[in-house]
Amino acid sequence: MKRILGLIGLFCVALALPAGAARAGLSFGISEDRARAEAPGPFFTEMNDLGLTQNRAALEWDPANPDAIPGDVGSWLQIAQDHGIRVVLSLSAKDARDLSAAGRPAQFAAWAAHIAQTFPQVKDFVIGNEPNQPYFWLPQFDEAGRPLSAAAYEPVLAESYDALKAVDSTINVIGIGLSPRGNDNPSARSNKSRSPIRFLHDLGVAYRASGRAKPLMDELGYHPYPAKNTDAPSVGYTWPNAGLPNLDRLKQSVWDAFNGTAQPTFAETGSQTFAQPLKLELDEIGWQVAIPPAYAGLYFGTETYPTVDDATQAEYYADSILMAECDPSVSSLSFFLLRDEPDLTRWQSGLEYVNGDGRPSYTAVKQTIAQTQGNCQSAPVTWRHTSQVVLPTVSWGNLTHIRPLRSTNWSFVGGAREQATFRAGIFKAGTSRRTIARALTSGRPRPLLSVTGVIKARNRVVQFPGRRLKRGRYVFAILMRASMNPVRSTQLVSRPFRVGR
């Protein structure tokens, strides 16, 4: 909490602004449906006190009653509007298999349009919720292990986009609501899921194959939960998953999937490709907290998750705000939940205990928002897409060592921070880089020795066959291609090494 107190001194002028006051920076909110289950006034009043201006709430589509809208929505929306709260409606299916059948995307899109017509004050809709997770979308893979979810989700998003824009062209269509993790393992014992980076790749493939000449979404919904609940916001995931510090990975994957199509990608530093580039809606984030003894009697069940303490949650929530504020592509950040759920098998990530008492995180969030007003307090994040493989590395070994004519250890270490295919070769020293590139691309001229393989987002030994080379000077070379976009490539060539005396 020392860091929060320091911020108070740095930004004391901002404290004169009323909570929830208009500002040009990031907006903050709560992802929770409690306002629909209880009297919504106190819920929105607490949001006003915190300086939160957005509530993402969920509505579920039931194919057995495809036109149904809960009857309480209208009064609840009016109370939110009276409190100056922007409501984002997250629309998803009641059951994980509900949108997989033929004709269902069009029915779902018609329901989305019906909601938009019924409640014209709502201008923001999330289409789907974590379709890369089996809890929300099935099937994830076919019997042969091929991914299915993104290709099946693409027409749901496309038809919903068109239906909502037909109601009101100013509606903000938020795509996907991606989970930050997936195991990409169709044979897993549980949670057979698709990682966010590979899901976006699959979505791009389906979009291009559809021939669609219109966008799919105005914003990308993302849930940057930590890999482990005890991880700080600055601790990310390994590829192909992505957390709060890995948003550059997410942006690159969107560029790989949609570059050159009608779907806008993210804004790039120093470049203006789209009049309205894609934005990031971080509409779920949270850390579960151990319940102090004084409140233990208010909860039931058994905790199934590693937890942090109250002070750590407060620090992590404030840090998340400061991180998100400095990324120009992020439009909003919403915490999941305002108030804990009482069942310990569910979520205790709220700013309040189950009885409504504020946690230290309540104060930390309120103070940080009041101080920063959503504006970056350090260096803004910069980002540009890369046409190379991400962070390629090589360790050629001891190139000054004279190697024997026959060796079983023609090798070096290569790596990248994403999955990449590679072809490596040994060439005579003095061979031009252009000739090497041609050889590693087409196999002509043939390298003296060559090997192909896959780099799985980490280092690996690139091992050549153990064959005789004539006396002379040689070089190692490797051409890597990004698996998610083979157009992105990197070629690296070693200094010469000598074989024989």
Side-chain angles (χ1 to χ4, degrees):
M1 295 302 292
K2 289 181 179 178
R3 187 189 48 72
I4 297 297
L5 294 173
L7 280 172
I8 293 172
L10 285 172
F11 304 108
C12 59
V13 174
L15 294 177
L17 296 171
R23 39 84 193 126
L26 191 68
S27 61
F28 302 96
I30 289 291
S31 290
E32 185 176 339
D33 301 333
R34 184 165 54 88
R36 292 181 50 219
E38 302 176 5
F43 177 83
F44 293 129
T45 298
E46 289 171 349
M47 288 187 62
N48 289 156
D49 181 60
L50 284 158
L52 306 175
T53 58
Q54 173 178 309
N55 178 213
R56 195 213 69 183
L59 296 180
E60 291 184 339
W61 178 69
D62 185 355
N65 195 2
D67 298 322
I69 301 174
D72 64 334
V73 175
S75 59
W76 159 67
L77 285 175
Q78 183 58 56
I79 296 170
Q81 191 171 20
D82 292 343
H83 283 76
I85 301 297
R86 165 192 172 221
V87 171
V88 178
L89 289 180
S90 177
L91 309 181
S92 59
K94 183 178 180 180
D95 184 81
R97 295 184 183 274
D98 281 347
L99 290 172
S100 298
R104 293 286 174 80
Q107 289 179 301
F108 180 87
W111 175 70
H114 178 40
I115 293 172
Q117 290 166 338
T118 306
F119 307 112
Q121 67 270 45
V122 179
K123 302 297 183 184
D124 302 274
F125 293 87
V126 184
I127 303 302
N129 182 59
E130 298 193 355
N132 57 325
Q133 290 293 323
Y135 187 83
F136 298 104
W137 192 286
L138 285 171
Q140 289 285 317
F141 301 91
D142 66 14
E143 292 182 357
R146 293 179 295 241
L148 290 177
S149 54
Y153 170 76
E154 190 273 342
V156 175
L157 182 56
E159 295 200 37
S160 297
Y161 180 96
D162 292 345
L164 289 168
K165 294 290 187 180
V167 173
D168 181 352
S169 63
T170 68
I171 284 175
N172 182 38
V173 179
I174 304 164
I176 315 178
L178 263 177
S179 166
R181 60 178 71 89
N183 57 32
D184 297 313
N185 184 0
S187 301
R189 291 185 178 181
S190 63
N191 197 45
K192 299 174 183 180
S193 50
R194 197 67 168 152
S195 62
I197 302 308
R198 288 197 168 106
F199 185 93
L200 286 166
H201 167 268
D202 299 345
L203 186 66
V205 170
Y207 173 78
R208 292 175 189 271
S210 74
R212 182 175 172 84
K214 292 186 287 186
L216 288 171
M217 53 188 162
D218 303 308
E219 295 189 349
L220 171 61
Y222 198 67
H223 304 166
Y225 290 103
K228 295 185 295 184
N229 188 67
T230 51
D231 286 345
S234 58
V235 177
Y237 289 78
T238 57
W239 190 96
N241 295 319
L244 193 58
N246 310 123
L247 298 183
D248 57 340
R249 184 181 299 161
L250 202 68
K251 295 173 190 179
Q252 180 67 48
S253 66
V254 168
W255 189 90
D256 288 337
F258 298 107
N259 176 54
T261 73
Q263 172 58 53
T265 54
F266 290 100
E268 302 191 33
T269 305
S271 176
Q272 185 67 26
T273 306
F274 297 99
Q276 293 183 312
L278 193 65
K279 287 283 193 177
L280 264 174
E281 178 116 351
L282 304 180
D283 56 352
E284 279 190 35
I285 192 170
W287 278 260
Q288 293 208 69
V289 188
I291 307 304
Y295 292 91
L298 302 173
Y299 296 80
F300 62 89
T302 302
E303 180 59 67
T304 58
Y305 230 66
T307 56
V308 296
D309 59 30
D310 277 327
T312 300
Q313 187 209 36
E315 179 182 350
Y316 287 178
Y317 280 20
D319 287 344
S320 298
I321 290 171
L322 297 175
M323 289 176 67
E325 286 171 338
C326 287
D327 191 326
S329 294
V330 176
S331 61
S332 67
L333 175 71
S334 292
F335 295 101
F336 184 84
L337 305 155
L338 176 58
R339 184 175 297 177
D340 281 354
E341 295 177 289
D343 184 350
L344 292 175
T345 64
R346 295 185 62 81
W347 276 81
Q348 291 75 49
S349 56
L351 306 178
E352 300 174 346
Y353 301 108
V354 73
N355 68 345
D357 287 353
R359 275 200 172 98
S361 59
Y362 188 105
T363 302
V365 167
K366 179 178 178 178
Q367 289 181 347
T368 307
I369 292 173
Q371 292 155 11
T372 68
Q373 293 294 292
N375 296 302
C376 181
Q377 305 303 309
S378 57
V381 170
T382 60
W383 177 78
R384 289 185 66 85
H385 80 270
T386 181
S387 58
Q388 305 284 308
V389 170
V390 175
L391 295 178
T393 60
V394 288
S395 177
W396 303 115
N398 186 1
L399 296 179
T400 62
H401 176 66
I402 299 176
R403 299 166 187 246
L405 298 178
R406 181 181 294 275
S407 173
T408 58
N409 193 31
W410 304 117
S411 67
F412 60 87
V413 175
R417 291 302 170 263
E418 64 175 321
Q419 182 173 297
T421 59
F422 73 85
R423 183 170 188 175
I426 297 178
F427 299 85
K428 288 184 178 180
T431 304
S432 71
R433 293 183 67 90
R434 179 176 295 182
T435 299
I436 289 173
R438 189 166 65 248
L440 294 178
T441 301
S442 67
R444 295 186 180 183
R446 293 179 60 185
L448 299 172
L449 294 178
S450 67
V451 61
T452 60
V454 178
I455 291 169
K456 296 183 178 179
R458 57 182 181 269
N459 292 342
R460 62 158 290 172
V461 175
V462 178
Q463 180 75 54
F464 293 91
R467 295 180 187 171
R468 183 182 180 88
L469 291 175
K470 295 179 180 180
R471 288 185 178 88
R473 297 170 71 247
Y474 299 87
V475 294
F476 292 125
I478 185 171
L479 178 66
M480 306 181 199
R481 293 191 182 278
S483 296
M484 297 295 97
N485 181 4
V487 173
R488 292 196 288 111
S489 65
T490 297
Q491 177 178 292
L492 300 167
V493 180
S494 76
R495 293 186 293 106
F497 61 90
R498 183 175 295 278
V499 173
R501 294 190 181 275

